[in-house]
Amino acid sequence: NIPILIDGAHALGSMNLQLNRFSPDFYVSNCHKWFCCPKGSAFLYVKETKQLQIRPLVVSHGFDSGFNSEFIWTGLHDYSPYLAMHVMMNFWEDIGKERILNYMYDLRKEACKYLTREWKTELPIPEECLGSMSLVELPPSLYKSLNHVDYSTAEQIQNILYHEYDIEVPIKALQEKLYVRISAHLYNNFEEYVKLAKSVLKIAPL
């Protein structure tokens, strides 16, 4: 009898999301990430038996008129991102959800194989646990002279990649190692990961 809320920020558009399979009490996800809708679009799912307990932060015209009425009009909120969502829904339907997901997963898998081979490093978790994103260990030669690897070390590498090589990727410090978090979507191609691999190898040790 413990209520379950799932923060599925990256789920919509990166996996075959089926809420009816696990039936949470509450579920939230963004539409502007993997689903590619305009920023500011997201959704809140509330199980029907819980809807009377949930009220919007902004009280407006629909107050006390039911769940949908209370949430549909919250003051001066900009509705244009939601009005544009049908365009992306048509896009996904036209290309095909499975086709898009397969492309993302296959590209991410090939990119991981290539990066670990070029850098002689490993993935921190098994391949079968991965979808469209992955951490890939960076070459230890980047930071071997340092006594401690932390957030500032990761930020240094991330800034070098952005400012000197025009590459935008998050760099993470975990247990005295550095990792790059790569993603793969329909608009990505393998050459981008080749550029990342070569650029990292060009960076002088910190």
Side-chain angles (χ1 to χ4, degrees):
N1 296 318
I2 299 175
I4 297 175
L5 183 151
I6 297 177
D7 177 5
H10 284 270
L12 183 64
S14 71
M15 61 183 295
N16 188 16
L17 181 60
Q18 300 178 56
L19 293 180
N20 59 342
R21 289 187 62 187
F22 49 94
S23 188
D25 298 290
F26 313 98
Y27 191 98
V28 291
S29 185
N30 289 308
C31 301
H32 73 269
K33 291 180 181 288
W34 296 90
F35 202 62
C36 299
C37 287
K39 288 183 178 179
S41 55
F43 75 85
L44 164 68
Y45 164 83
V46 179
K47 188 180 288 185
E48 192 171 357
T49 55
K50 303 285 186 181
Q51 290 179 3
L52 291 177
Q53 306 171 26
I54 304 301
R55 312 304 286 264
L57 289 175
V58 178
V59 175
S60 195
H61 296 290
F63 181 72
D64 224 16
S65 298
F67 182 78
N68 288 333
S69 294
E70 290 195 359
F71 278 92
I72 199 67
W73 189 266
T74 53
L76 299 176
H77 186 75
D78 180 11
Y79 285 86
S80 55
Y82 299 101
L83 297 175
M85 282 183 66
H86 73 282
V87 177
M88 286 314 303
M89 290 178 179
N90 291 340
F91 175 83
W92 278 77
E93 288 181 6
D94 288 345
I95 297 180
K97 180 177 66 176
E98 292 303 320
R99 184 180 175 191
I100 294 175
L101 292 178
N102 287 337
Y103 177 85
M104 290 159 52
Y105 292 176
D106 290 345
L107 179 59
R108 195 275 315 150
K109 186 175 182 178
E110 288 304 308
C112 284
K113 285 182 180 178
Y114 176 77
L115 293 174
T116 52
R117 185 173 69 246
E118 291 296 303
W119 295 339
K120 297 178 175 55
T121 58
E122 299 178 342
L123 302 179
I125 61 174
E127 171 63 40
E128 57 267 25
C129 297
L130 299 170
S132 52
M133 289 194 303
S134 176
L135 288 180
V136 181
E137 184 185 349
L138 288 173
S141 58
L142 282 176
Y143 51 92
K144 63 181 180 181
S145 62
L146 301 178
N147 295 323
H148 180 56
V149 175
D150 57 14
Y151 172 83
S152 61
T153 316
E155 190 177 37
Q156 230 179 315
I157 299 292
Q158 184 169 324
N159 287 336
I160 291 172
L161 286 170
Y162 180 76
H163 292 291
E164 298 184 20
Y165 297 95
D166 295 323
I167 296 175
E168 175 71 85
V169 283
I171 305 296
K172 305 295 181 182
L174 297 170
Q175 299 177 338
E176 299 298 325
K177 293 182 179 181
L178 289 180
Y179 296 86
V180 60
R181 191 188 77 182
I182 64 166
S183 302
H185 210 310
L186 201 59
Y187 46 77
N188 291 119
N189 59 71
F190 186 74
E191 286 68 32
E192 292 173 307
Y193 307 98
V194 173
K195 178 182 177 181
L196 171 63
K198 292 180 178 178
S199 299
V200 165
L201 294 175
K202 289 178 183 177
I203 299 174
L206 298 178

